Coordinates of all heavy atoms in Angstrom, one line a residue:
M1 N 214.7 215.8 264.9 CA 215.4 214.5 264.8 C 215.3 214.2 263.2 O 214.3 214.3 262.6 CB 214.8 213.4 265.6 CG 215.5 212.1 265.4 SD 215.0 210.8 266.5 CE 215.3 211.5 268.1
K2 N 216.4 213.6 262.7 CA 216.4 213.2 261.3 C 215.6 212.0 261.0 O 215.7 211.1 261.7 CB 217.9 213.0 261.0 CG 218.2 212.6 259.5 CD 219.7 212.4 259.4 CE 220.3 212.6 258.2 NZ 221.7 212.4 258.1
I3 N 214.9 212.0 259.8 CA 214.1 211.0 259.4 C 214.6 210.5 258.0 O 214.9 211.3 257.2 CB 212.6 211.4 259.2 CG1 212.0 211.7 260.6 CG2 211.9 210.2 258.5 CD1 210.6 212.1 260.5
V4 N 215.0 209.2 258.0 CA 215.6 208.6 256.8 C 214.7 207.4 256.3 O 214.2 206.7 257.1 CB 217.0 208.0 257.2 CG1 217.7 207.5 256.0 CG2 217.9 209.0 257.9
N5 N 214.5 207.5 255.0 CA 213.7 206.4 254.5 C 214.5 205.1 254.5 O 215.7 205.1 254.5 CB 213.0 206.7 253.1 CG 214.1 206.7 251.9 OD1 214.9 205.8 251.9 ND2 214.1 207.8 251.1
I6 N 213.8 204.0 254.4 CA 214.5 202.7 254.6 C 215.4 202.4 253.4 O 216.6 201.9 253.8 CB 213.4 201.6 254.8 CG1 214.0 200.4 255.4 CG2 212.8 201.3 253.5 CD1 213.0 199.4 255.9
H7 N 215.2 202.9 252.3 CA 216.2 202.6 251.3 C 217.5 203.4 251.5 O 218.6 202.8 251.4 CB 215.6 203.1 249.8 CG 216.5 202.9 248.6 ND1 217.5 203.8 248.4 CD2 216.8 201.8 247.9 CE1 218.2 203.5 247.3 NE2 217.8 202.2 247.1
D8 N 217.4 204.7 251.9 CA 218.5 205.5 252.2 C 219.3 204.9 253.4 O 220.6 204.9 253.5 CB 218.3 206.9 252.4 CG 217.9 207.6 251.1 OD1 218.2 207.2 249.9 OD2 217.2 208.7 251.2
A9 N 218.6 204.4 254.3 CA 219.3 203.8 255.6 C 220.0 202.5 255.1 O 221.1 202.4 255.7 CB 218.2 203.4 256.5
K10 N 219.5 201.8 254.3 CA 220.4 200.6 253.8 C 221.6 201.1 253.0 O 222.7 200.6 253.3 CB 219.5 199.7 253.0 CG 218.4 198.8 253.7 CD 217.8 197.8 252.9 CE 217.0 198.3 251.9 NZ 216.2 197.2 251.1
T11 N 221.3 202.0 252.3 CA 222.6 202.5 251.4 C 223.7 203.2 252.2 O 224.8 203.0 252.0 CB 222.0 203.5 250.4 OG1 221.0 202.9 249.6 CG2 223.1 204.0 249.5
H12 N 223.3 203.9 253.3 CA 224.2 204.6 254.1 C 224.3 204.2 255.6 O 224.6 205.1 256.4 CB 223.8 206.2 254.0 CG 223.7 206.7 252.7 ND1 224.9 207.0 251.9 CD2 222.6 207.1 251.9 CE1 224.4 207.4 250.7 NE2 223.1 207.5 250.7
L13 N 224.1 203.0 255.7 CA 223.9 202.4 257.1 C 225.3 202.8 257.9 O 225.1 203.2 259.1 CB 223.6 200.8 257.2 CG 223.5 200.3 258.5 CD1 222.3 201.0 259.2 CD2 223.2 198.8 258.4
S14 N 226.4 202.5 257.4 CA 227.6 202.7 258.2 C 227.7 204.1 258.6 O 228.1 204.4 259.8 CB 228.8 202.3 257.3 OG 228.8 200.9 257.1
R15 N 227.6 205.0 257.8 CA 227.6 206.4 258.1 C 226.6 206.9 259.1 O 226.9 207.5 260.2 CB 227.4 207.4 256.8 CG 227.5 208.8 257.2 CD 227.3 209.7 255.9 NE 226.2 209.3 255.0 CZ 225.0 209.9 255.1 NH1 224.7 210.7 256.2 NH2 224.1 209.5 254.4
L16 N 225.4 206.4 259.0 CA 224.2 206.7 259.9 C 224.6 206.1 261.3 O 224.3 206.8 262.3 CB 222.8 206.2 259.3 CG 222.4 206.9 258.1 CD1 221.3 206.1 257.5 CD2 221.9 208.4 258.5
V17 N 225.1 205.0 261.4 CA 225.3 204.3 262.6 C 226.5 205.0 263.3 O 226.4 205.3 264.6 CB 225.7 202.8 262.5 CG1 226.3 202.3 263.7 CG2 224.4 202.0 262.1
E18 N 227.4 205.4 262.4 CA 228.6 206.2 263.2 C 228.0 207.5 263.8 O 228.4 207.9 264.8 CB 229.5 206.5 262.1 CG 230.7 207.3 262.5 CD 231.7 206.5 263.6 OE1 231.6 205.3 263.6 OE2 232.2 207.2 264.4
Q19 N 227.1 208.2 263.1 CA 226.5 209.4 263.5 C 225.7 209.2 264.8 O 225.7 210.0 265.8 CB 225.6 210.1 262.6 CG 226.4 210.7 261.3 CD 225.6 211.2 260.2 OE1 224.4 211.0 260.2 NE2 226.2 211.9 259.2
A20 N 224.9 208.1 264.8 CA 224.1 207.8 265.9 C 224.9 207.4 267.2 O 224.6 207.9 268.3 CB 223.2 206.6 265.6
S21 N 226.0 206.8 267.0 CA 227.0 206.4 268.0 C 227.6 207.7 268.7 O 227.9 207.6 269.8 CB 228.1 205.6 267.5 OG 229.0 206.2 266.9
K22 N 227.5 208.8 268.0 CA 228.1 210.0 268.6 C 227.0 210.9 269.0 O 227.1 212.1 269.4 CB 228.7 210.8 267.4 CG 230.0 210.1 267.0 CD 230.8 210.8 265.9 CE 232.0 210.1 265.4 NZ 232.6 210.7 264.3
G23 N 225.8 210.3 269.2 CA 224.5 211.1 269.8 C 223.6 211.6 268.9 O 222.6 212.3 269.3
D24 N 223.9 211.6 267.5 CA 222.9 212.0 266.6 C 222.0 211.0 266.1 O 222.0 210.3 265.1 CB 223.7 212.5 265.4 CG 222.8 213.3 264.4 OD1 221.7 213.7 264.7 OD2 223.3 213.4 263.2
S25 N 220.9 210.7 267.0 CA 219.9 209.7 266.7 C 219.0 210.1 265.4 O 218.9 211.1 265.0 CB 218.9 209.5 267.9 OG 219.6 209.3 269.1
F26 N 218.5 208.9 264.9 CA 217.6 209.2 263.7 C 216.5 208.2 263.7 O 216.6 207.2 264.4 CB 218.5 209.2 262.4 CG 219.1 207.8 262.1 CD1 218.5 206.9 261.2 CD2 220.3 207.4 262.7 CE1 219.1 205.6 261.0 CE2 220.9 206.2 262.5 CZ 220.3 205.3 261.5
V27 N 215.6 208.4 262.8 CA 214.3 207.5 262.6 C 214.3 207.0 261.3 O 214.6 207.7 260.2 CB 213.0 208.3 262.9 CG1 211.9 207.5 262.6 CG2 213.0 208.8 264.3
I28 N 214.1 205.6 261.1 CA 213.9 205.0 259.9 C 212.5 204.9 259.6 O 211.7 204.4 260.3 CB 214.6 203.6 259.7 CG1 216.0 203.8 260.0 CG2 214.3 203.0 258.5 CD1 216.8 202.4 260.2
A29 N 212.0 205.4 258.3 CA 210.6 205.5 258.0 C 210.4 204.6 256.7 O 211.4 204.6 255.8 CB 210.2 206.8 257.8
R30 N 209.2 204.1 256.5 CA 208.8 203.5 255.3 C 207.5 204.2 254.8 O 206.6 204.4 255.5 CB 208.6 202.0 255.4 CG 208.1 201.3 254.2 CD 207.6 199.9 254.4 NE 208.7 199.1 254.8 CZ 208.5 198.1 255.8 NH1 207.2 197.9 256.3 NH2 209.6 197.4 256.3
A31 N 207.6 204.7 253.6 CA 206.6 205.5 253.0 C 206.2 206.6 253.8 O 205.0 206.9 254.0 CB 205.4 204.5 252.7
G32 N 207.1 207.2 254.4 CA 206.9 208.4 255.3 C 206.4 208.1 256.7 O 206.2 209.0 257.6
K33 N 206.2 206.8 257.0 CA 205.6 206.5 258.3 C 206.9 206.0 259.2 O 207.5 205.0 258.8 CB 204.7 205.3 258.2 CG 204.0 204.9 259.6 CD 203.0 203.8 259.3 CE 202.4 203.4 260.6 NZ 201.5 202.2 260.5
P34 N 207.1 206.7 260.4 CA 208.1 206.2 261.2 C 208.1 204.8 261.7 O 207.1 204.4 262.1 CB 208.1 207.2 262.4 CG 207.3 208.3 261.9 CD 206.4 207.7 260.8
L35 N 209.2 204.0 261.6 CA 209.2 202.6 262.1 C 210.0 202.3 263.3 O 209.7 201.7 264.2 CB 209.7 201.7 260.9 CG 208.8 201.6 259.7 CD1 209.7 200.8 258.6 CD2 207.5 201.1 259.9
V36 N 211.3 202.8 263.2 CA 212.2 202.6 264.3 C 213.1 203.8 264.6 O 213.3 204.7 263.7 CB 213.2 201.4 264.1 CG1 212.4 200.1 264.0 CG2 214.0 201.6 262.9
K37 N 213.5 204.0 265.9 CA 214.4 205.0 266.1 C 215.8 204.4 266.3 O 215.9 203.4 267.2 CB 214.0 205.8 267.4 CG 215.0 206.8 267.9 CD 214.4 207.4 269.3 CE 215.3 208.5 269.8 NZ 214.8 209.1 271.1
V38 N 216.9 205.0 265.9 CA 218.2 204.4 266.0 C 219.0 205.4 266.9 O 219.0 206.6 266.6 CB 219.0 204.2 264.7 CG1 220.4 203.7 264.9 CG2 218.1 203.3 263.9
T39 N 219.4 204.9 268.1 CA 220.2 205.7 269.0 C 221.4 205.0 269.6 O 221.4 203.8 269.6 CB 219.1 206.3 270.1 OG1 219.7 207.2 270.9 CG2 218.6 205.2 270.9
A40 N 222.3 205.7 270.2 CA 223.4 205.1 270.8 C 223.1 204.5 272.1 O 222.1 204.9 272.8 CB 224.4 206.2 271.1
L41 N 223.8 203.4 272.4 CA 223.6 202.6 273.6 C 224.5 203.3 274.8 O 225.5 203.8 274.4 CB 224.0 201.2 273.6 CG 223.1 200.3 272.6 CD1 223.7 198.9 272.6 CD2 221.8 200.2 273.1
D42 N 224.0 203.2 276.0 CA 224.8 203.7 277.1 C 225.6 202.5 277.6 O 225.4 201.9 278.6 CB 223.9 204.1 278.3 CG 223.2 205.4 277.9 OD1 223.7 206.2 277.1 OD2 222.0 205.5 278.3
A43 N 226.7 202.2 276.9 CA 227.6 201.1 277.3 C 228.7 201.5 278.0 O 229.1 202.7 278.0 CB 228.1 200.4 276.0
P44 N 229.2 200.7 279.1 CA 230.2 201.2 279.9 C 231.5 201.4 279.1 O 231.8 200.8 278.1 CB 230.4 200.1 281.0 CG 229.8 198.9 280.2 CD 228.7 199.4 279.4
A45 N 232.5 202.3 279.5 CA 233.7 202.4 278.9 C 234.5 201.1 279.0 O 234.3 200.2 279.8 CB 234.4 203.5 279.4
A46 N 235.4 200.8 278.0 CA 236.1 199.6 277.9 C 236.8 199.2 279.2 O 236.8 198.1 279.6 CB 237.0 199.6 276.7
G47 N 237.5 200.2 279.8 CA 238.2 199.9 281.0 C 237.4 199.8 282.3 O 237.8 199.4 283.4
A48 N 236.1 200.3 282.1 CA 235.1 200.2 283.4 C 234.5 198.8 283.4 O 233.9 198.6 284.6 CB 234.1 201.3 283.2
M49 N 234.5 198.0 282.5 CA 233.9 196.6 282.6 C 234.6 195.8 283.5 O 235.9 195.7 283.6 CB 233.8 196.0 281.2 CG 232.9 196.8 280.2 SD 232.7 196.0 278.6 CE 232.1 194.4 279.0
R50 N 234.0 194.9 284.3 CA 234.6 194.0 285.2 C 234.9 192.7 284.5 O 234.1 192.3 283.6 CB 233.7 193.7 286.3 CG 233.5 194.9 287.3 CD 232.7 194.5 288.5 NE 233.2 195.3 289.6 CZ 233.1 194.8 290.8 NH1 232.5 193.8 291.2 NH2 233.8 195.6 291.7
R51 N 236.0 192.2 284.8 CA 236.5 190.9 284.1 C 236.6 189.9 285.0 O 236.9 190.0 286.3 CB 237.9 191.2 283.4 CG 237.8 192.3 282.4 CD 237.3 191.9 281.1 NE 237.4 192.9 280.2 CZ 236.5 193.2 279.2 NH1 235.4 192.4 279.1 NH2 236.6 194.2 278.4
L52 N 236.5 188.6 284.6 CA 236.8 187.5 285.4 C 238.2 187.6 285.9 O 239.2 187.9 285.2 CB 236.6 186.2 284.6 CG 235.2 185.8 284.2 CD1 235.1 184.5 283.4 CD2 234.3 185.6 285.5
G53 N 238.5 187.1 287.1 CA 239.8 187.2 287.7 C 240.2 188.5 288.4 O 241.3 188.6 288.8
F54 N 239.3 189.4 288.5 CA 239.6 190.7 289.0 C 240.0 190.6 290.5 O 240.6 191.5 291.1 CB 238.4 191.7 288.9 CG 237.2 191.4 289.7 CD1 237.0 192.1 290.8 CD2 236.2 190.6 289.2 CE1 235.8 191.8 291.6 CE2 235.1 190.3 289.8 CZ 234.9 191.0 291.1
L55 N 239.7 189.5 291.2 CA 240.0 189.3 292.6 C 241.3 188.3 292.7 O 241.6 187.9 293.8 CB 238.9 188.7 293.4 CG 237.7 189.8 293.8 CD1 236.7 189.0 294.5 CD2 238.3 191.0 294.5
S56 N 241.9 188.1 291.7 CA 243.0 187.2 291.6 C 244.1 187.7 292.5 O 244.4 188.8 292.6 CB 243.7 187.2 290.2 OG 244.8 186.3 290.2
G57 N 244.4 186.6 293.5 CA 245.4 187.0 294.5 C 244.9 187.6 295.7 O 245.7 187.8 296.7
Q58 N 243.6 188.0 295.8 CA 243.1 188.7 296.9 C 242.2 187.7 297.8 O 242.0 188.1 299.0 CB 242.2 189.9 296.4 CG 243.0 191.0 295.7 CD 242.1 192.1 295.2 OE1 241.1 192.4 296.0 NE2 242.4 192.7 294.2
I59 N 241.9 186.6 297.3 CA 241.2 185.7 298.1 C 241.9 184.3 297.9 O 242.6 184.0 296.9 CB 239.7 185.5 297.7 CG1 239.6 185.1 296.2 CG2 239.1 186.9 297.8 CD1 238.2 184.8 295.8
S60 N 241.6 183.4 298.8 CA 242.1 182.0 298.7 C 241.0 181.0 299.0 O 240.1 181.3 299.8 CB 243.3 181.8 299.7 OG 242.8 182.0 301.0
V61 N 241.1 179.9 298.4 CA 240.1 178.8 298.5 C 240.8 177.7 299.1 O 241.8 177.2 298.5 CB 239.4 178.5 297.1 CG1 238.5 177.3 297.3 CG2 238.8 179.7 296.6
P62 N 240.3 177.2 300.2 CA 241.2 175.9 300.7 C 241.1 174.7 299.6 O 240.2 174.6 299.0 CB 240.2 175.5 302.0 CG 239.4 176.6 302.2 CD 239.2 177.5 301.0
E63 N 242.2 174.0 299.8 CA 242.4 172.9 298.9 C 241.3 171.9 298.9 O 240.9 171.2 298.1 CB 243.6 172.3 299.2 CG 244.9 173.0 298.9 CD 245.0 173.1 297.3 OE1 244.7 172.2 296.5 OE2 245.5 174.2 296.8
D64 N 240.7 171.7 300.2 CA 239.6 170.7 300.3 C 238.2 171.2 300.3 O 237.3 170.6 300.9 CB 239.9 169.8 301.7 CG 239.8 170.8 302.9 OD1 239.7 172.0 302.7 OD2 239.6 170.2 304.0
F65 N 238.0 172.4 299.8 CA 236.7 173.0 299.8 C 235.6 172.2 299.2 O 234.4 172.2 299.6 CB 236.7 174.4 299.1 CG 236.6 174.3 297.6 CD1 235.3 174.6 297.1 CD2 237.6 174.0 296.8 CE1 235.2 174.5 295.7 CE2 237.5 173.9 295.4 CZ 236.3 174.2 294.8
D66 N 235.9 171.2 298.2 CA 234.9 170.4 297.6 C 234.8 169.0 298.1 O 234.1 168.1 297.6 CB 235.0 170.4 296.1 CG 236.4 169.9 295.7 OD1 237.3 169.7 296.6 OD2 236.6 169.5 294.5
R67 N 235.5 168.9 299.3 CA 235.4 167.3 299.8 C 234.9 167.4 301.3 O 235.6 167.2 302.2 CB 236.9 166.8 299.9 CG 237.4 166.5 298.5 CD 238.8 165.8 298.5 NE 239.7 166.5 299.2 CZ 240.8 167.3 298.7 NH1 240.8 167.3 297.3 NH2 241.6 167.9 299.4
M68 N 233.6 167.6 301.4 CA 233.1 167.6 302.8 C 232.9 166.2 303.1 O 232.7 165.3 302.3 CB 231.6 168.2 302.6 CG 231.5 169.6 302.3 SD 230.0 170.3 302.1 CE 229.3 170.2 303.7
S69 N 233.1 165.9 304.4 CA 233.0 164.5 304.9 C 231.5 164.1 305.0 O 230.6 164.9 304.9 CB 233.6 164.5 306.4 OG 232.7 165.1 307.3
G70 N 231.4 162.8 305.0 CA 230.0 162.2 304.9 C 229.2 162.6 306.2 O 228.1 162.8 306.1
E71 N 229.9 162.8 307.3 CA 229.2 163.2 308.4 C 228.7 164.6 308.4 O 227.5 165.0 308.9 CB 230.2 163.2 309.7 CG 230.7 161.7 310.0 CD 231.8 161.7 311.1 OE1 232.2 162.8 311.5 OE2 232.3 160.6 311.5
V72 N 229.4 165.5 307.8 CA 228.9 166.9 307.6 C 227.7 166.9 306.7 O 226.7 167.6 307.0 CB 230.0 167.8 307.0 CG1 229.6 169.1 306.7 CG2 231.2 167.8 308.0
I73 N 227.7 166.0 305.6 CA 226.7 166.1 304.6 C 225.4 165.5 305.4 O 224.3 166.0 305.2 CB 226.9 165.2 303.5 CG1 228.1 165.9 302.7 CG2 225.8 165.0 302.6 CD1 228.7 165.3 301.5
E74 N 225.6 164.5 306.2 CA 224.5 163.8 306.9 C 223.8 164.8 307.9 O 222.7 164.9 308.0 CB 225.0 162.6 307.7 CG 225.2 161.4 306.8 CD 225.8 160.3 307.6 OE1 225.6 160.2 308.8 OE2 226.3 159.3 306.9
Q75 N 224.6 165.7 308.5 CA 224.1 166.6 309.5 C 223.4 167.7 308.7 O 222.3 168.2 309.2 CB 225.2 167.2 310.1 CG 226.0 166.4 311.2 CD 227.2 167.1 311.7 OE1 227.5 168.2 311.5 NE2 227.8 166.3 312.8
L76 N 223.7 168.0 307.5 CA 223.0 169.1 306.8 C 221.5 168.5 306.3 O 220.6 169.3 306.2 CB 223.7 169.3 305.4 CG 224.9 170.1 305.6 CD1 225.6 170.2 304.3 CD2 224.7 171.5 306.2
F77 N 221.4 167.1 306.2 CA 220.1 166.7 305.8 C 219.3 166.1 306.9 O 218.1 165.6 306.8 CB 220.3 165.6 304.7 CG 220.7 166.1 303.4 CD1 222.0 166.2 303.0 CD2 219.8 166.6 302.5 CE1 222.4 166.8 301.9 CE2 220.0 167.2 301.4 CZ 221.4 167.3 301.0
E78 N 219.8 166.0 308.2 CA 219.1 165.5 309.3 C 218.0 166.5 309.7 O 218.3 167.7 309.8 CB 220.0 165.2 310.5 CG 220.9 164.0 310.3 CD 221.7 163.8 311.5 OE1 221.7 164.5 312.3 OE2 222.4 162.7 311.4
G79 N 216.9 166.1 310.0 CA 215.8 166.9 310.4 C 216.0 167.3 311.9 O 216.8 166.6 312.6
P80 N 215.2 168.2 312.4 CA 215.3 168.6 313.9 C 214.9 167.3 314.6 O 213.8 166.6 314.4 CB 214.5 169.7 314.2 CG 213.8 170.0 312.8 CD 214.3 169.1 311.7
G81 N 215.5 167.0 315.7 CA 215.2 165.9 316.6 C 215.5 164.5 316.1 O 214.9 163.5 316.8
T82 N 216.4 164.4 315.1 CA 216.6 163.0 314.6 C 218.0 162.6 315.1 O 218.9 163.3 315.4 CB 216.7 162.8 313.0 OG1 217.4 164.0 312.6 CG2 215.2 162.9 312.5

């Protein structure tokens, strides 16, 4: 694995990140001592990500879903035997 000193990493960051994104990981070192490893993330492909609204048109919500009657709410809070 390639070891790059911190000064060179700052100078060539764009090129190094591009290489890492293609699978060529590298280590950044200071005074010869390894500090961090830079490697590509396992991110999903752009088309594979789920988006809001992906069930649009496949489900329906009743118009009155948020207007429960007082009686129904009371029944939810009544304990057994009341």
Side-chain angles (χ1 to χ4, degrees):
M1 182 173 303
K2 183 184 208 176
I3 297 177
V4 180
N5 73 44
I6 200 162
H7 179 271
D8 288 341
K10 288 193 290 186
T11 304
H12 304 288
L13 184 61
S14 295
R15 179 177 51 84
L16 291 167
V17 168
E18 182 67 26
Q19 290 173 353
S21 72
K22 294 177 181 176
D24 188 18
S25 301
F26 63 95
V27 172
I28 298 176
R30 181 186 297 140
K33 182 178 179 182
L35 297 175
V36 296
K37 178 180 176 183
V38 180
T39 188
L41 293 176
D42 293 327
M49 293 179 63
R50 293 187 143 204
R51 303 278 183 218
L52 290 176
F54 68 96
L55 288 177
S56 180
Q58 296 180 29
I59 61 170
S60 62
V61 178
E63 290 292 322
D64 63 345
F65 83 98
D66 61 346
R67 292 187 301 258
M68 294 175 68
S69 71
E71 293 171 359
V72 173
I73 294 171
E74 287 175 19
Q75 289 175 359
L76 291 173
F77 288 96
E78 288 180 356
T82 49

